Amino acid sequence: MVALTPVRAASPKEVYPGVWRFTFGTPEKITPVATRHYPPAAAGFAGLPDAGRCPIDVTATISERGILVHAPLANGEMLYGLGLQLQSFQQRGLKKRLRVNADPARDTGDSHAPVPFYVTTRGYGVFVDTARYATFYMGNKRRKGAPPNAPTEVLAEVPEAAGVDVYVFGGPTLRQAVQRYNLFSGGGPLPPRWGLGCWYRGEKDYSQSNVLSLAAEFREQRMPCDVLGLEPGWQTHAYSCSYVWSSRFPDPGTMLHELAALHFRLNLWEHAFVNPASPIYSALKPYSGDYEVWGGLVPDFLDPQARSIFADFHDREHIALGVSGYKADECDNSDFTGNWSFPEISRFPSGADGEQMHSLFGLRYQDALTQSFEKRKQRTYGLVRSSGALAAPYPYVLYSDLYDHRQFVRGVAQEGFSGLLWTPEVRDSSNSVELIRRLESTVFSPLAIINAWYLRNPPWKQVNRRDNNAGKFAPDWEKTEAQCRSILELRMKFVPLLHAAFVRYNREGLPPFRALVMDYPGDSGSRTVDDEYIMGDGVLVAPVIVAGAPGSHDPELPPVAADGETTRSVYLPPGEWQDFWTGEKHRGQQRIEVRVPLERIPLFVKSGVVLPLAEPTLDTDDPQSRKLTVMVFGDGREAATLFEDDGASPPTLSPVTISWHAAEKTGTVSGAATYQVEKWVQIPATP
Ligand code: GAL
């Protein structure tokens, strides 16, 4: 029998206010904390209430299997987190092996972004600082002879390790435990305003002239767009990558100049595996692992030298020309299902093995890509397909090749538990109803994106992939285009509020998108809702999920009629809520059935909220985008705070307070320099 020897930690050390570290044995040298780039956002802790004493006592045992962490659980306590878990929301009762995988086929813990951190409805969080594929038993195992009603525990088995640090984050609420974890991670990122506009990625083989005509078409057709993305064909070699512009782009400098004149930013697709034809191949060779991927090197991003070689080339060849950021693809693992990526048996010069490298690869790759932007004091925003522990400060949003709409929406509800950002991107669709519903969910996410990497033409012209690429447009495509335009415009209206929500993420660690349970942990009805979420302050988003969409397998979903008219059941948490579209008031703590005409994503605003919405423009550079219509819900007692942002890094932010005075029926604005209130609208309208 395997011997389990208890390892006693010295008494836990309070490393930041309300953050305790338990050290068991001798922790490994390569962990998320040991290799972190961003320091904790220490100043933010002062804004949180006193967390009191360490809420739980953590213990550990050691054996030849590694180290086993024991954390107590109370009856009825519910658990959330463990990273991007697209197939389950509440984690109690589940077993999760936290393994990086691009194709998480079953709900076993495989994820683009596994994170060994969970939070509970009792108002604390637990982070196991490991880069191993740890297994978490979330209160689902009982010791022999334990009485049936005895409380269980969370067991986290860390293989290989002879020790581990475990951090406990106090609350006193679940939301504050999340804030402490995010502040410990470094605080949330502050995307540039353009990052919060609309994004579109063109077909993978687009040429320079294709890109420029697409840009012109977007402006002519008045389709909002801030960022265009290039897919693999911009490089001479893509699998593996050369990072060198291909002959399709004879003059990238001029193209970037022309795009900038139209107020477009450009984002480049790439992955980290370096082709022998790449100019950085030989310099990186000594700083790479002992296995190849697609014939290319796997850079040892744990080594600063490897990051600098990589970053300097990107800086010179792309960023200096005006490239605004990257989509860091393929940095998750897929040799379980797709037979690519480096094996766990790999060795890296830094001392990491393949398992540790997989857990950290997405993070340290983001470090490499962000390095030149940081040096240039320039903000970036981009996409990444793998991330992990302590990810809050990274200006990168996760995405996936999976396409189940239900799971994609769950991702938005879920991301905030683990310091992640996620986008339910739009690709092709089975009909225009699905296109519109998917578009509605991506515009209410951290990054509003259409990833048309396999469509020659925008999906509103033809949703079907084959017909789209054959240039056969749908007979009524202009109607679909108009519908899509109004949804993209809705995103543009919310940019100031989203930006303000990110400022809070940055300073206070409060995620901009949150599950209902994060704001209402005491409300039992909120605890299992994973198809709705809160955005910013007081806006509840309940996307209409398309039944029968590719990858969708939930028989419970209501069918979407051809005209898109249907109803949706929405749970409203405590308080009074108002329909964004009609102003109708509803009492909270109940489920209501709402009509959901196409183009109207169900949105509810907490009564009392002041909601400033921007004039929808084609891009966020347009000064008109600072003109506001202020919607006042109910008595408007909750003033809104927006921020003037000079765009610099670090930014100068000055608050703009927008208040409504119900007795006088007037509004006031203080601190505005570029923001300008054009109109105040009371909802519902008062006679
Ligand atoms: C996939 C990625 C897609 C697209 C494609 C291009 O790995 O997830 O979004 O970029 O590569 O080959």
Side-chain angles (χ1 to χ4, degrees):
M1 190 138 121
V2 177
L4 289 173
T5 315
V7 239
R8 256 322 302 161
S11 43
K13 187 171 176 324
E14 189 168 4
V15 287
Y16 289 93
V19 183
W20 292 269
R21 183 178 62 218
F22 292 73
T23 298
F24 299 103
T26 309
E28 290 191 288
K29 287 208 172 64
I30 294 174
T31 72
V33 170
T35 62
R36 69 187 299 163
H37 171 64
Y38 295 98
F45 288 101
L48 288 169
D50 183 13
R53 295 192 8 228
C54 184
I56 54 164
D57 186 30
V58 182
T59 57
T61 47
I62 193 162
S63 77
E64 54 272 48
R65 290 178 56 85
I67 193 137
L68 183 63
V69 175
H70 305 247
L73 270 186
N75 287 335
E77 187 170 5
M78 291 171 92
L79 310 174
Y80 305 89
L82 299 183
L84 189 71
Q85 297 293 329
L86 291 174
Q87 298 180 54
S88 54
F89 181 68
Q90 199 284 121
Q91 302 295 319
R92 184 161 183 159
L94 304 179
K95 171 185 178 178
K96 292 283 166 88
R97 181 153 188 253
L98 299 185
R99 193 171 74 161
V100 183
N101 186 350
D103 305 292
R106 307 269 313 263
D107 188 25
T108 54
D110 279 4
S111 165
H112 295 285
V115 179
F117 171 68
Y118 66 88
V119 283
T120 103
T121 45
R122 281 183 64 223
Y124 65 90
V126 177
F127 169 52
V128 180
D129 180 29
T130 181
R132 295 284 167 203
Y133 295 163
T135 301
F136 279 72
Y137 299 89
M138 303 299 277
N140 61 342
K141 297 291 158 199
R142 251 168 216 295
R143 299 291 300 219
K144 186 164 67 182
N149 260 338
T152 56
E153 53 186 359
V154 171
L155 297 166
E157 190 183 45
V158 182
E160 313 296 324
V164 73
D165 282 334
V166 177
Y167 293 81
V168 175
F169 297 85
T173 65
L174 184 151
R175 170 168 142 149
Q176 287 151 352
V178 166
Q179 285 179 269
R180 283 184 211 276
Y181 169 75
N182 288 334
L183 291 170
F184 178 74
S185 305
L190 184 60
R193 284 172 48 89
W194 54 258
L196 300 175
C198 300
W199 292 51
Y200 186 95
R201 308 197 74 88
E203 200 259 352
K204 66 177 181 10
D205 289 332
Y206 266 12
S207 64
Q208 180 163 333
S209 64
N210 292 143
V211 173
L212 290 170
S213 26
L214 184 79
E217 179 183 330
F218 269 60
R219 292 297 181 245
E220 270 156 34
Q221 297 296 110
R222 306 204 57 75
M223 298 304 273
C225 185
D226 268 274
V227 185
L228 288 174
L230 302 187
E231 287 289 316
W234 72 269
Q235 296 183 47
T236 53
H237 297 81
Y239 286 90
S240 41
C241 286
S242 66
Y243 317 100
V244 173
W245 296 94
S246 71
S247 56
R248 292 187 181 94
F249 292 83
D251 187 358
T254 303
M255 174 185 68
L256 277 150
H257 203 70
E258 290 176 25
L259 289 175
L262 293 171
H263 302 281
F264 283 103
R265 267 76 183 182
L266 190 74
N267 175 287
L268 296 181
W269 172 98
E270 63 158 58
H271 59 72
F273 308 120
V274 184
N275 187 271
S278 173
I280 51 178
Y281 184 88
S282 26
L284 272 174
K285 206 167 175 192
Y287 303 100
S288 60
D290 56 352
Y291 281 82
E292 295 179 341
V293 179
W294 291 308
L297 298 175
V298 182
D300 186 350
F301 285 137
L302 291 183
D303 188 318
Q305 195 60 28
R307 294 202 293 268
S308 291
I309 296 167
F310 200 83
D312 292 349
F313 185 80
H314 283 61
D315 187 68
R316 227 174 27 247
E317 302 296 322
H318 319 140
I319 303 170
L321 306 185
V323 165
S324 69
Y326 294 92
K327 163 174 169 180
D329 205 20
E330 322 284 14
C331 45
D332 38 24
N333 190 6
S334 198
D335 62 354
F336 306 111
T337 43
N339 200 26
W340 56 266
S341 207
F342 54 90
E344 279 74 12
I345 52 168
S346 305
R347 294 277 154 189
F348 289 83
S350 59
D353 63 28
E355 177 183 352
Q356 293 169 308
M357 189 55 93
H358 274 305
S359 302
L360 297 170
F361 199 66
L363 292 161
R364 302 292 82 88
Y365 180 22
Q366 291 172 78
D367 287 335
L369 287 176
T370 316
Q371 186 166 315
S372 348
F373 292 104
E374 284 185 350
K375 269 200 198 149
R376 286 174 173 268
K377 297 202 178 302
Q378 203 176 310
R379 275 144 74 190
T380 181
Y381 201 44
L383 292 141
V384 69
R385 222 175 62 190
S386 181
S387 202
L390 311 182
Y394 290 87
Y396 292 88
V397 182
L398 289 154
Y399 63 97
S400 174
D401 278 348
L402 306 173
Y403 207 43
D404 181 320
H405 195 206
R406 177 74 183 80
Q407 291 185 13
F408 269 30
V409 170
R410 182 181 291 121
V412 185
Q414 242 251 356
E415 60 180 51
F417 293 126
S418 309
L420 302 172
L421 298 171
W422 155 260
T423 177
E425 66 174 30
V426 179
R427 300 198 293 270
D428 58 349
S429 301
S430 54
N431 54 42
S432 57
V433 172
E434 183 190 341
L435 174 70
I436 286 162
R437 292 307 190 190
R438 283 188 179 273
L439 197 57
E440 287 171 355
S441 46
T442 196
V443 303
F444 285 95
S445 85
L447 197 145
I449 186 165
I450 298 167
N451 178 15
W453 72 272
Y454 48 71
L455 299 178
R456 295 294 296 173
N457 298 288
W460 43 81
K461 291 191 165 171
Q462 173 57 264
V463 291
N464 177 273
R465 179 175 180 163
R466 199 190 48 240
D467 290 350
N468 182 304
N469 289 328
K472 291 189 203 154
F473 299 159
D476 60 347
W477 71 265
E478 278 161 312
K479 179 178 159 215
T480 312
E481 185 191 60
Q483 290 168 317
C484 291
R485 181 185 301 113
S486 74
I487 296 162
L488 297 175
E489 286 177 351
L490 189 59
R491 168 69 174 204
M492 298 307 282
K493 292 183 188 177
F494 275 95
V495 167
L497 280 165
L498 268 171
H499 174 267
F502 270 99
V503 172
R504 288 196 76 181
Y505 193 24
N506 182 253
R507 293 177 171 176
E508 301 168 31
L510 182 69
F513 292 86
R514 300 183 298 283
L516 271 46
V517 66
M518 214 188 283
D519 286 12
Y520 303 93
D523 173 44
S524 59
S526 294
R527 291 181 167 187
T528 50
V529 179
D530 62 353
D531 57 357
E532 303 170 20
Y533 44 86
I534 308 277
M535 183 178 82
D537 284 318
V539 178
L540 185 149
V541 186
V544 176
I545 291 161
V546 217
S552 169
H553 49 68
D554 190 340
E556 303 289 299
L557 297 173
V560 176
D563 64 359
E565 290 270 350
T566 183
T567 60
R568 188 213 199 272
S569 157
V570 177
Y571 179 76
L572 297 174
E576 187 180 53
W577 295 84
Q578 286 182 250
D579 189 310
F580 173 82
W581 302 101
T582 65
E584 195 182 339
K585 288 190 178 171
H586 302 276
R587 180 172 53 73
Q589 282 185 297
Q590 61 160 340
R591 269 198 176 273
I592 58 169
E593 206 57 39
V594 283
R595 269 190 63 242
V596 288
L598 197 61
E599 294 166 72
R600 281 199 181 181
I601 180 169
L603 296 176
F604 293 86
V605 182
K606 209 164 181 188
S607 201
V609 162
V610 169
L611 203 71
L613 297 179
E615 178 75 35
T617 50
L618 297 182
D619 59 78
T620 54
D621 288 345
D622 188 335
Q624 295 292 322
S625 70
R626 311 297 200 279
K627 293 200 166 149
L628 306 170
T629 294
V630 181
M631 293 174 79
V632 179
F633 287 85
D635 64 7
R637 64 187 175 278
E638 290 179 35
T641 305
L642 303 179
F643 292 88
E644 299 278 358
D645 180 340
D646 65 353
S649 177
T652 304
L653 297 167
S654 30
V656 178
T657 311
I658 303 174
S659 326
W660 178 251
H661 312 281
E664 297 94 57
K665 291 203 177 141
T666 52
T668 51
V669 181
S670 72
T674 64
Y675 280 125
Q676 218 182 313
V677 174
E678 299 275 293
K679 216 163 53 180
W680 300 83
V681 185
Q682 278 182 269
I683 315 279
T686 45

